[in-house]
Amino acid sequence: MNLDLFYRQAVLSVAGNPKVEALIKTRARSLVRRYVAGETLEEALLVAERLEAQGVHAILDLLGEMVRSEEEARAFQKGILELIRAVAGRPWPKYVSLKLTQLGLDLSEALALDLLREILREAEPKGVFVRIDMEDSPRVEATLRIYKALREEGFNGVGVVLQSYLFRTEKDFWELLPYRPNLRLVKGAYREPKEVAFQDKRLIDAEFLHLGKLALKEGLYVAFATHDPRLIAEVKRYTGAMGIPKDRFEFQLLYGVRPEEQRRLAQEGYTVRAYVPYGTHWYPYLSRRIAERPENLFLVLRSLLGG
């Protein structure tokens, strides 16, 4: 197994221990503030305003996933609707991200579809774009079904995500193509078994570029979500060589990760968005960030040791 993937899977396994979760929640708050805008909508909007002043647009996400009751799902829907109403009057591009397990996907696919439909009915007239995040492999099929159902109902201000580390993704791409999706392309951040996902970073990276170029050739709008300077450079080289204008794609990076690169890309005339998460349910998100970057593990250890 590739060392990077071994590290990621090991961290995600340890992070799932309730004792580890409790320890990090009490001792690693400084690291949380590096990657999470805050626990309130007001804090997230302040971060978004600062980013806009730097030429970087915000993707706002009320953190939450894998709810266990309909009441909890509806509470998250209420929070997302509050977010949509709060950004509706802002002068900058309005962009919201959400997870279907946050809206009760694990309880009922129909429930998640209904709650998301209500969100889109509020978002589209206000010019708020909604991105459905992709979660782990057992939930991919249902997520794609819901996206297709909403597009067939006439909703256009909604996008989908594909993960390059899954074997199934190119097949999913061709099945999505008739819907002309606004596509966000990621490598994938979940712990996946070798039966369903590439385990070699080089193959994941190669598939990321393959899928991205394929989508551009098919005329789709593509959001390249990566911090890898080699992948960013290749996207820039390829689009320049093919004469693909900068309004046909964008780069998306995480809040707190390579902020200088975000500003530099924006200054070069590319559309750049920073994923800005907020809320009290930040632990699963932070766990995936620690798993992606070994240096983050050292920051956690330093926090736990009181340094």
Side-chain angles (χ1 to χ4, degrees):
M1 181 186 292
N2 179 280
L3 284 177
D4 289 336
L5 289 171
F6 176 80
Y7 164 79
R8 185 177 72 188
Q9 294 196 5
V11 169
L12 290 175
S13 178
V14 172
N17 185 304
K19 292 182 179 179
V20 173
E21 178 177 351
L23 187 62
I24 291 177
K25 283 184 173 180
T26 56
R27 298 293 298 276
R29 305 292 291 188
S30 60
L31 181 63
V32 176
R33 293 310 299 249
R34 177 172 175 172
Y35 296 108
V36 178
E39 295 195 345
T40 69
L41 174 57
E42 290 71 24
E43 289 173 302
L45 292 173
L46 287 174
V47 167
E49 295 282 3
R50 289 199 298 268
L51 289 170
E52 287 292 334
Q54 301 167 9
V56 177
H57 305 310
I59 305 169
L60 290 162
D61 186 342
L62 172 60
L63 290 171
E65 54 192 274
M66 300 183 186
V67 302
R68 297 179 181 178
S69 70
E70 182 174 338
E71 180 182 15
E72 192 178 3
R74 292 189 180 279
F76 272 118
Q77 186 207 37
K78 180 180 178 182
I80 294 166
L81 290 172
E82 289 173 355
L83 166 59
I84 288 168
R85 292 163 190 151
V87 301
R90 305 282 165 154
W92 28 265
K94 294 164 275 289
Y95 197 123
V96 169
S97 183
L98 56 81
K99 287 181 169 58
L100 289 181
T101 62
Q102 184 179 35
L103 298 177
L105 179 63
D106 290 351
L107 303 171
S108 162
E109 190 172 322
L111 172 64
L113 175 59
D114 287 344
L115 295 184
L116 181 51
R117 183 186 292 113
E118 292 171 8
I119 288 170
L120 293 176
R121 284 175 178 160
E122 181 104 15
E124 285 204 349
K126 292 179 168 59
V128 180
F129 182 80
V130 176
R131 176 77 67 184
I132 305 172
D133 278 347
M134 188 60 74
E135 301 178 72
D136 55 351
S137 57
R139 297 171 174 87
V140 170
E141 196 69 41
T143 300
L144 295 177
R145 277 197 301 269
I146 287 176
Y147 171 78
K148 292 172 184 177
L150 291 166
R151 291 301 309 279
E152 288 166 5
E153 291 178 19
F155 292 104
N156 294 315
V158 58
V160 71
V161 178
L162 291 179
Q163 302 170 112
S164 70
Y165 69 171
L166 296 180
F167 298 151
R168 61 172 293 160
T169 298
E170 184 165 349
K171 177 177 178 290
D172 290 334
F173 169 82
W174 289 113
E175 291 179 355
L176 283 170
L177 189 58
Y179 296 87
R180 310 302 298 169
N182 180 311
L183 181 64
R184 182 176 195 252
L185 185 62
V186 303
K187 294 183 189 180
Y190 293 87
R191 184 183 180 189
E192 297 287 0
K194 62 182 180 180
E195 291 77 17
V196 302
F198 295 108
Q199 304 295 306
D200 188 321
K201 182 180 182 298
R202 293 169 300 177
L203 295 176
I204 297 169
D205 290 352
E207 192 68 7
F208 181 92
L209 290 172
H210 167 66
L211 291 166
K213 292 175 182 179
L214 190 60
L216 290 171
K217 287 178 183 177
E218 294 293 335
L220 301 185
Y221 186 88
V222 186
F224 290 93
T226 180
H227 308 100
D228 191 323
R230 294 171 298 116
L231 298 183
I232 292 172
E234 176 57 18
V235 171
K236 292 166 66 175
R237 184 207 66 77
Y238 176 79
T239 53
M242 299 298 292
I244 298 171
K246 291 178 180 177
D247 62 1
R248 285 270 320 283
F249 65 96
E250 64 186 55
F251 293 106
Q252 296 187 354
L253 298 91
L254 299 173
Y255 172 65
V257 179
R258 302 190 71 203
E260 300 85 2
E261 177 69 2
Q262 296 180 27
R263 293 190 291 269
R264 183 163 45 249
L265 288 168
Q267 290 166 2
E268 292 174 359
Y270 294 99
T271 299
V272 181
R273 299 188 205 273
Y275 177 84
V276 179
Y278 71 97
T280 58
H281 298 267
W282 48 260
Y283 183 74
Y285 174 79
L286 183 67
S287 299
R288 292 192 288 272
R289 300 296 77 78
I290 296 170
E292 287 173 350
R293 297 166 60 83
E295 54 266 42
N296 289 344
L297 181 59
F298 296 123
L299 292 174
V300 170
L301 294 175
R302 189 171 67 185
S303 298
L304 297 179
L305 293 171

